[in-house]
PDB file of all heavy atoms in Angstrom:
ATOM      1  N   ALA A 168       7.947   3.917   2.752  1.00  0.00           N
ATOM      2  CA  ALA A 168       7.401   2.564   2.879  1.00  0.00           C
ATOM      3  C   ALA A 168       8.322   1.683   3.713  1.00  0.00           C
ATOM      4  O   ALA A 168       7.863   0.885   4.559  1.00  0.00           O
ATOM      5  CB  ALA A 168       7.185   1.960   1.496  1.00  0.00           C
ATOM      6  N   GLU A 169       9.630   1.813   3.501  1.00  0.00           N
ATOM      7  CA  GLU A 169      10.585   1.017   4.274  1.00  0.00           C
ATOM      8  C   GLU A 169      10.559   1.398   5.749  1.00  0.00           C
ATOM      9  O   GLU A 169      10.664   0.538   6.632  1.00  0.00           O
ATOM     10  CB  GLU A 169      11.991   1.202   3.693  1.00  0.00           C
ATOM     11  CG  GLU A 169      12.170   0.537   2.326  1.00  0.00           C
ATOM     12  CD  GLU A 169      13.546   0.784   1.725  1.00  0.00           C
ATOM     13  OE1 GLU A 169      14.256   1.684   2.242  1.00  0.00           O
ATOM     14  OE2 GLU A 169      13.905   0.090   0.753  1.00  0.00           O
ATOM     15  N   GLU A 170      10.400   2.682   6.037  1.00  0.00           N
ATOM     16  CA  GLU A 170      10.313   3.138   7.427  1.00  0.00           C
ATOM     17  C   GLU A 170       9.069   2.572   8.115  1.00  0.00           C
ATOM     18  O   GLU A 170       9.130   2.102   9.252  1.00  0.00           O
ATOM     19  CB  GLU A 170      10.282   4.666   7.471  1.00  0.00           C
ATOM     20  CG  GLU A 170      11.589   5.330   7.065  1.00  0.00           C
ATOM     21  CD  GLU A 170      11.458   6.845   7.010  1.00  0.00           C
ATOM     22  OE1 GLU A 170      10.373   7.355   7.359  1.00  0.00           O
ATOM     23  OE2 GLU A 170      12.428   7.521   6.627  1.00  0.00           O
ATOM     24  N   LEU A 171       7.934   2.622   7.412  1.00  0.00           N
ATOM     25  CA  LEU A 171       6.693   2.106   7.979  1.00  0.00           C
ATOM     26  C   LEU A 171       6.750   0.593   8.157  1.00  0.00           C
ATOM     27  O   LEU A 171       6.196   0.047   9.116  1.00  0.00           O
ATOM     28  CB  LEU A 171       5.512   2.477   7.072  1.00  0.00           C
ATOM     29  CG  LEU A 171       5.178   3.974   6.991  1.00  0.00           C
ATOM     30  CD1 LEU A 171       4.141   4.242   5.905  1.00  0.00           C
ATOM     31  CD2 LEU A 171       4.658   4.478   8.338  1.00  0.00           C
ATOM     32  N   PHE A 172       7.413  -0.088   7.233  1.00  0.00           N
ATOM     33  CA  PHE A 172       7.565  -1.536   7.324  1.00  0.00           C
ATOM     34  C   PHE A 172       8.362  -1.913   8.569  1.00  0.00           C
ATOM     35  O   PHE A 172       7.987  -2.821   9.320  1.00  0.00           O
ATOM     36  CB  PHE A 172       8.238  -2.062   6.063  1.00  0.00           C
ATOM     37  CG  PHE A 172       8.598  -3.523   6.130  1.00  0.00           C
ATOM     38  CD1 PHE A 172       7.620  -4.495   6.182  1.00  0.00           C
ATOM     39  CD2 PHE A 172       9.937  -3.917   6.160  1.00  0.00           C
ATOM     40  CE1 PHE A 172       7.951  -5.843   6.252  1.00  0.00           C
ATOM     41  CE2 PHE A 172      10.277  -5.260   6.229  1.00  0.00           C
ATOM     42  CZ  PHE A 172       9.281  -6.227   6.277  1.00  0.00           C
ATOM     43  N   LYS A 173       9.462  -1.213   8.805  1.00  0.00           N
ATOM     44  CA  LYS A 173      10.302  -1.486   9.974  1.00  0.00           C
ATOM     45  C   LYS A 173       9.583  -1.133  11.275  1.00  0.00           C
ATOM     46  O   LYS A 173       9.756  -1.796  12.296  1.00  0.00           O
ATOM     47  CB  LYS A 173      11.612  -0.706   9.876  1.00  0.00           C
ATOM     48  CG  LYS A 173      12.510  -1.176   8.730  1.00  0.00           C
ATOM     49  CD  LYS A 173      13.762  -0.315   8.636  1.00  0.00           C
ATOM     50  CE  LYS A 173      14.654  -0.754   7.476  1.00  0.00           C
ATOM     51  NZ  LYS A 173      15.865   0.111   7.339  1.00  0.00           N
ATOM     52  N   ALA A 174       8.773  -0.079  11.227  1.00  0.00           N
ATOM     53  CA  ALA A 174       8.055   0.369  12.431  1.00  0.00           C
ATOM     54  C   ALA A 174       6.769  -0.408  12.665  1.00  0.00           C
ATOM     55  O   ALA A 174       6.111  -0.223  13.699  1.00  0.00           O
ATOM     56  CB  ALA A 174       7.737   1.858  12.321  1.00  0.00           C
ATOM     57  N   THR A 175       6.395  -1.287  11.707  1.00  0.00           N
ATOM     58  CA  THR A 175       5.152  -2.075  11.769  1.00  0.00           C
ATOM     59  C   THR A 175       3.926  -1.196  12.012  1.00  0.00           C
ATOM     60  O   THR A 175       3.017  -1.583  12.741  1.00  0.00           O
ATOM     61  CB  THR A 175       5.232  -3.169  12.846  1.00  0.00           C
ATOM     62  OG1 THR A 175       5.279  -2.566  14.146  1.00  0.00           O
ATOM     63  CG2 THR A 175       6.445  -4.062  12.638  1.00  0.00           C
ATOM     64  N   GLU A 176       3.933  -0.017  11.421  1.00  0.00           N
ATOM     65  CA  GLU A 176       2.812   0.901  11.614  1.00  0.00           C
ATOM     66  C   GLU A 176       1.657   0.575  10.674  1.00  0.00           C
ATOM     67  O   GLU A 176       1.850   0.010   9.597  1.00  0.00           O
ATOM     68  CB  GLU A 176       3.265   2.350  11.390  1.00  0.00           C
ATOM     69  CG  GLU A 176       4.183   2.877  12.471  1.00  0.00           C
ATOM     70  CD  GLU A 176       4.421   4.371  12.326  1.00  0.00           C
ATOM     71  OE1 GLU A 176       3.596   5.034  11.670  1.00  0.00           O
ATOM     72  OE2 GLU A 176       5.425   4.861  12.868  1.00  0.00           O
ATOM     73  N   ILE A 177       0.457   0.976  11.093  1.00  0.00           N
ATOM     74  CA  ILE A 177      -0.743   0.781  10.285  1.00  0.00           C
ATOM     75  C   ILE A 177      -0.996   2.044   9.477  1.00  0.00           C
ATOM     76  O   ILE A 177      -0.883   3.156   9.993  1.00  0.00           O
ATOM     77  CB  ILE A 177      -1.958   0.461  11.183  1.00  0.00           C
ATOM     78  CG1 ILE A 177      -1.740  -0.897  11.867  1.00  0.00           C
ATOM     79  CG2 ILE A 177      -3.250   0.448  10.374  1.00  0.00           C
ATOM     80  CD1 ILE A 177      -2.784  -1.229  12.891  1.00  0.00           C
ATOM     81  N   ILE A 178      -1.329   1.864   8.211  1.00  0.00           N
ATOM     82  CA  ILE A 178      -1.593   2.999   7.332  1.00  0.00           C
ATOM     83  C   ILE A 178      -3.000   2.889   6.759  1.00  0.00           C
ATOM     84  O   ILE A 178      -3.644   1.840   6.835  1.00  0.00           O
ATOM     85  CB  ILE A 178      -0.573   3.070   6.176  1.00  0.00           C
ATOM     86  CG1 ILE A 178      -0.716   1.831   5.275  1.00  0.00           C
ATOM     87  CG2 ILE A 178       0.839   3.183   6.710  1.00  0.00           C
ATOM     88  CD1 ILE A 178       0.132   1.909   4.015  1.00  0.00           C
ATOM     89  N   HIS A 179      -3.471   3.977   6.182  1.00  0.00           N
ATOM     90  CA  HIS A 179      -4.765   4.009   5.509  1.00  0.00           C
ATOM     91  C   HIS A 179      -4.524   4.257   4.028  1.00  0.00           C
ATOM     92  O   HIS A 179      -3.904   5.260   3.654  1.00  0.00           O
ATOM     93  CB  HIS A 179      -5.652   5.113   6.079  1.00  0.00           C
ATOM     94  CG  HIS A 179      -6.033   4.894   7.511  1.00  0.00           C
ATOM     95  ND1 HIS A 179      -5.157   5.097   8.559  1.00  0.00           N
ATOM     96  CD2 HIS A 179      -7.199   4.475   8.078  1.00  0.00           C
ATOM     97  CE1 HIS A 179      -5.765   4.826   9.701  1.00  0.00           C
ATOM     98  NE2 HIS A 179      -6.995   4.440   9.438  1.00  0.00           N
ATOM     99  N   SER A 180      -4.991   3.342   3.187  1.00  0.00           N
ATOM    100  CA  SER A 180      -4.805   3.473   1.741  1.00  0.00           C
ATOM    101  C   SER A 180      -6.128   3.253   1.019  1.00  0.00           C
ATOM    102  O   SER A 180      -6.928   2.404   1.410  1.00  0.00           O
ATOM    103  CB  SER A 180      -3.774   2.465   1.232  1.00  0.00           C
ATOM    104  OG  SER A 180      -2.492   2.746   1.750  1.00  0.00           O
ATOM    105  N   GLU A 181      -6.304   4.020  -0.057  1.00  0.00           N
ATOM    106  CA  GLU A 181      -7.523   3.900  -0.856  1.00  0.00           C
ATOM    107  C   GLU A 181      -7.342   2.826  -1.927  1.00  0.00           C
ATOM    108  O   GLU A 181      -6.302   2.737  -2.575  1.00  0.00           O
ATOM    109  CB  GLU A 181      -7.867   5.230  -1.519  1.00  0.00           C
ATOM    110  CG  GLU A 181      -9.156   5.175  -2.332  1.00  0.00           C
ATOM    111  CD  GLU A 181      -9.468   6.492  -3.019  1.00  0.00           C
ATOM    112  OE1 GLU A 181      -8.765   7.490  -2.724  1.00  0.00           O
ATOM    113  OE2 GLU A 181     -10.384   6.522  -3.848  1.00  0.00           O
ATOM    114  N   VAL A 182      -8.387   2.025  -2.098  1.00  0.00           N
ATOM    115  CA  VAL A 182      -8.380   0.996  -3.140  1.00  0.00           C
ATOM    116  C   VAL A 182      -8.632   1.675  -4.480  1.00  0.00           C
ATOM    117  O   VAL A 182      -9.661   2.333  -4.667  1.00  0.00           O
ATOM    118  CB  VAL A 182      -9.450  -0.073  -2.877  1.00  0.00           C
ATOM    119  CG1 VAL A 182      -9.430  -1.129  -3.979  1.00  0.00           C
ATOM    120  CG2 VAL A 182      -9.239  -0.717  -1.509  1.00  0.00           C
ATOM    121  N   ILE A 183      -7.684   1.528  -5.416  1.00  0.00           N
ATOM    122  CA  ILE A 183      -7.818   2.203  -6.714  1.00  0.00           C
ATOM    123  C   ILE A 183      -8.042   1.223  -7.852  1.00  0.00           C
ATOM    124  O   ILE A 183      -8.280   1.630  -8.996  1.00  0.00           O
ATOM    125  CB  ILE A 183      -6.574   3.068  -7.019  1.00  0.00           C
ATOM    126  CG1 ILE A 183      -5.306   2.213  -7.011  1.00  0.00           C
ATOM    127  CG2 ILE A 183      -6.463   4.199  -6.002  1.00  0.00           C
ATOM    128  CD1 ILE A 183      -4.041   2.988  -7.372  1.00  0.00           C
ATOM    129  N   GLY A 184      -7.979  -0.065  -7.561  1.00  0.00           N
ATOM    130  CA  GLY A 184      -8.207  -1.043  -8.621  1.00  0.00           C
ATOM    131  C   GLY A 184      -8.176  -2.452  -8.072  1.00  0.00           C
ATOM    132  O   GLY A 184      -7.957  -2.675  -6.875  1.00  0.00           O
ATOM    133  N   SER A 185      -8.401  -3.420  -8.961  1.00  0.00           N
ATOM    134  CA  SER A 185      -8.386  -4.813  -8.545  1.00  0.00           C
ATOM    135  C   SER A 185      -8.000  -5.695  -9.723  1.00  0.00           C
ATOM    136  O   SER A 185      -8.081  -5.282 -10.892  1.00  0.00           O
ATOM    137  CB  SER A 185      -9.762  -5.233  -8.002  1.00  0.00           C
ATOM    138  OG  SER A 185     -10.726  -5.237  -9.045  1.00  0.00           O
ATOM    139  N   ASN A 186      -7.571  -6.890  -9.407  1.00  0.00           N
ATOM    140  CA  ASN A 186      -7.348  -7.905 -10.425  1.00  0.00           C
ATOM    141  C   ASN A 186      -7.741  -9.251  -9.830  1.00  0.00           C
ATOM    142  O   ASN A 186      -8.286  -9.301  -8.722  1.00  0.00           O
ATOM    143  CB  ASN A 186      -5.898  -7.887 -10.931  1.00  0.00           C
ATOM    144  CG  ASN A 186      -4.898  -8.060  -9.804  1.00  0.00           C
ATOM    145  OD1 ASN A 186      -5.131  -8.796  -8.850  1.00  0.00           O
ATOM    146  ND2 ASN A 186      -3.770  -7.368  -9.905  1.00  0.00           N
ATOM    147  N   LYS A 187      -7.453 -10.317 -10.528  1.00  0.00           N
ATOM    148  CA  LYS A 187      -7.891 -11.626 -10.065  1.00  0.00           C
ATOM    149  C   LYS A 187      -7.273 -12.004  -8.726  1.00  0.00           C
ATOM    150  O   LYS A 187      -7.861 -12.736  -7.934  1.00  0.00           O
ATOM    151  CB  LYS A 187      -7.542 -12.683 -11.115  1.00  0.00           C
ATOM    152  CG  LYS A 187      -8.114 -14.062 -10.812  1.00  0.00           C
ATOM    153  CD  LYS A 187      -7.815 -15.030 -11.925  1.00  0.00           C
ATOM    154  CE  LYS A 187      -8.403 -16.400 -11.613  1.00  0.00           C
ATOM    155  NZ  LYS A 187      -8.138 -17.378 -12.691  1.00  0.00           N
ATOM    156  N   GLY A 188      -6.063 -11.480  -8.472  1.00  0.00           N
ATOM    157  CA  GLY A 188      -5.374 -11.872  -7.238  1.00  0.00           C
ATOM    158  C   GLY A 188      -5.692 -11.049  -6.023  1.00  0.00           C
ATOM    159  O   GLY A 188      -5.449 -11.487  -4.894  1.00  0.00           O
ATOM    160  N   GLY A 189      -6.228  -9.834  -6.214  1.00  0.00           N
ATOM    161  CA  GLY A 189      -6.506  -9.006  -5.047  1.00  0.00           C
ATOM    162  C   GLY A 189      -6.736  -7.555  -5.404  1.00  0.00           C
ATOM    163  O   GLY A 189      -7.296  -7.249  -6.468  1.00  0.00           O
ATOM    164  N   LEU A 190      -6.276  -6.662  -4.556  1.00  0.00           N
ATOM    165  CA  LEU A 190      -6.561  -5.235  -4.704  1.00  0.00           C
ATOM    166  C   LEU A 190      -5.296  -4.436  -4.967  1.00  0.00           C
ATOM    167  O   LEU A 190      -4.212  -4.774  -4.487  1.00  0.00           O
ATOM    168  CB  LEU A 190      -7.233  -4.698  -3.439  1.00  0.00           C
ATOM    169  CG  LEU A 190      -8.556  -5.321  -3.021  1.00  0.00           C
ATOM    170  CD1 LEU A 190      -9.011  -4.703  -1.705  1.00  0.00           C
ATOM    171  CD2 LEU A 190      -9.613  -5.120  -4.086  1.00  0.00           C
ATOM    172  N   ILE A 191      -5.461  -3.342  -5.691  1.00  0.00           N
ATOM    173  CA  ILE A 191      -4.384  -2.381  -5.912  1.00  0.00           C
ATOM    174  C   ILE A 191      -4.726  -1.123  -5.113  1.00  0.00           C
ATOM    175  O   ILE A 191      -5.845  -0.606  -5.209  1.00  0.00           O
ATOM    176  CB  ILE A 191      -4.256  -2.037  -7.409  1.00  0.00           C
ATOM    177  CG1 ILE A 191      -3.953  -3.301  -8.203  1.00  0.00           C
ATOM    178  CG2 ILE A 191      -3.160  -0.995  -7.628  1.00  0.00           C
ATOM    179  CD1 ILE A 191      -4.077  -3.118  -9.702  1.00  0.00           C
ATOM    180  N   VAL A 192      -3.775  -0.668  -4.298  1.00  0.00           N
ATOM    181  CA  VAL A 192      -4.023   0.494  -3.448  1.00  0.00           C
ATOM    182  C   VAL A 192      -2.974   1.564  -3.726  1.00  0.00           C
ATOM    183  O   VAL A 192      -1.865   1.264  -4.186  1.00  0.00           O
ATOM    184  CB  VAL A 192      -3.996   0.119  -1.946  1.00  0.00           C
ATOM    185  CG1 VAL A 192      -5.108  -0.867  -1.618  1.00  0.00           C
ATOM    186  CG2 VAL A 192      -2.637  -0.466  -1.553  1.00  0.00           C
ATOM    187  N   GLY A 193      -3.343   2.803  -3.455  1.00  0.00           N
ATOM    188  CA  GLY A 193      -2.420   3.905  -3.656  1.00  0.00           C
ATOM    189  C   GLY A 193      -1.546   4.128  -2.437  1.00  0.00           C
ATOM    190  O   GLY A 193      -2.003   4.013  -1.295  1.00  0.00           O
ATOM    191  N   PHE A 194      -0.269   4.432  -2.709  1.00  0.00           N
ATOM    192  CA  PHE A 194       0.666   4.785  -1.637  1.00  0.00           C
ATOM    193  C   PHE A 194       1.547   5.900  -2.179  1.00  0.00           C
ATOM    194  O   PHE A 194       2.596   5.663  -2.772  1.00  0.00           O
ATOM    195  CB  PHE A 194       1.512   3.579  -1.225  1.00  0.00           C
ATOM    196  CG  PHE A 194       2.425   3.843  -0.062  1.00  0.00           C
ATOM    197  CD1 PHE A 194       1.955   3.758   1.239  1.00  0.00           C
ATOM    198  CD2 PHE A 194       3.742   4.200  -0.271  1.00  0.00           C
ATOM    199  CE1 PHE A 194       2.794   4.013   2.310  1.00  0.00           C
ATOM    200  CE2 PHE A 194       4.594   4.468   0.789  1.00  0.00           C
ATOM    201  CZ  PHE A 194       4.118   4.373   2.092  1.00  0.00           C
ATOM    202  N   GLY A 195       1.080   7.130  -2.032  1.00  0.00           N
ATOM    203  CA  GLY A 195       1.791   8.261  -2.624  1.00  0.00           C
ATOM    204  C   GLY A 195       1.832   8.111  -4.129  1.00  0.00           C
ATOM    205  O   GLY A 195       0.799   7.992  -4.787  1.00  0.00           O
ATOM    206  N   HIS A 196       3.062   8.090  -4.684  1.00  0.00           N
ATOM    207  CA  HIS A 196       3.237   7.914  -6.120  1.00  0.00           C
ATOM    208  C   HIS A 196       3.499   6.454  -6.483  1.00  0.00           C
ATOM    209  O   HIS A 196       3.883   6.147  -7.614  1.00  0.00           O
ATOM    210  CB  HIS A 196       4.390   8.795  -6.619  1.00  0.00           C
ATOM    211  CG  HIS A 196       4.074  10.255  -6.559  1.00  0.00           C
ATOM    212  ND1 HIS A 196       4.127  10.976  -5.394  1.00  0.00           N
ATOM    213  CD2 HIS A 196       3.667  11.131  -7.523  1.00  0.00           C
ATOM    214  CE1 HIS A 196       3.793  12.238  -5.624  1.00  0.00           C
ATOM    215  NE2 HIS A 196       3.511  12.353  -6.918  1.00  0.00           N
ATOM    216  N   LEU A 197       3.270   5.571  -5.518  1.00  0.00           N
ATOM    217  CA  LEU A 197       3.464   4.140  -5.745  1.00  0.00           C
ATOM    218  C   LEU A 197       2.133   3.424  -5.739  1.00  0.00           C
ATOM    219  O   LEU A 197       1.113   3.970  -5.308  1.00  0.00           O
ATOM    220  CB  LEU A 197       4.364   3.538  -4.656  1.00  0.00           C
ATOM    221  CG  LEU A 197       5.722   4.190  -4.433  1.00  0.00           C
ATOM    222  CD1 LEU A 197       6.432   3.491  -3.278  1.00  0.00           C
ATOM    223  CD2 LEU A 197       6.567   4.143  -5.702  1.00  0.00           C
ATOM    224  N   ARG A 198       2.180   2.203  -6.214  1.00  0.00           N
ATOM    225  CA  ARG A 198       1.012   1.336  -6.145  1.00  0.00           C
ATOM    226  C   ARG A 198       1.374   0.115  -5.310  1.00  0.00           C
ATOM    227  O   ARG A 198       2.417  -0.505  -5.537  1.00  0.00           O
ATOM    228  CB  ARG A 198       0.566   0.895  -7.550  1.00  0.00           C
ATOM    229  CG  ARG A 198      -0.111   1.992  -8.334  1.00  0.00           C
ATOM    230  CD  ARG A 198      -0.755   1.428  -9.572  1.00  0.00           C
ATOM    231  NE  ARG A 198      -1.580   2.413 -10.261  1.00  0.00           N
ATOM    232  CZ  ARG A 198      -2.449   2.121 -11.224  1.00  0.00           C
ATOM    233  NH1 ARG A 198      -2.592   0.859 -11.627  1.00  0.00           N
ATOM    234  NH2 ARG A 198      -3.154   3.060 -11.787  1.00  0.00           N
ATOM    235  N   GLY A 199       0.513  -0.173  -4.352  1.00  0.00           N
ATOM    236  CA  GLY A 199       0.722  -1.352  -3.530  1.00  0.00           C
ATOM    237  C   GLY A 199      -0.287  -2.422  -3.885  1.00  0.00           C
ATOM    238  O   GLY A 199      -1.325  -2.140  -4.493  1.00  0.00           O
ATOM    239  N   PHE A 200       0.022  -3.647  -3.485  1.00  0.00           N
ATOM    240  CA  PHE A 200      -0.863  -4.772  -3.796  1.00  0.00           C
ATOM    241  C   PHE A 200      -1.268  -5.479  -2.506  1.00  0.00           C
ATOM    242  O   PHE A 200      -0.418  -5.766  -1.648  1.00  0.00           O
ATOM    243  CB  PHE A 200      -0.165  -5.753  -4.731  1.00  0.00           C
ATOM    244  CG  PHE A 200      -1.019  -6.930  -5.119  1.00  0.00           C
ATOM    245  CD1 PHE A 200      -2.175  -6.757  -5.876  1.00  0.00           C
ATOM    246  CD2 PHE A 200      -0.672  -8.217  -4.730  1.00  0.00           C
ATOM    247  CE1 PHE A 200      -2.971  -7.833  -6.235  1.00  0.00           C
ATOM    248  CE2 PHE A 200      -1.457  -9.306  -5.083  1.00  0.00           C
ATOM    249  CZ  PHE A 200      -2.602  -9.111  -5.840  1.00  0.00           C
TER     250      PHE A 200
END
């Protein structure tokens, strides 16, 4: 994730959930918001 952040690359992530503030997406064994 840190490498992709520094490289400003675009990724494809599946939406696995949601809450009042937005979406939860999968990133390997992590969860992104």
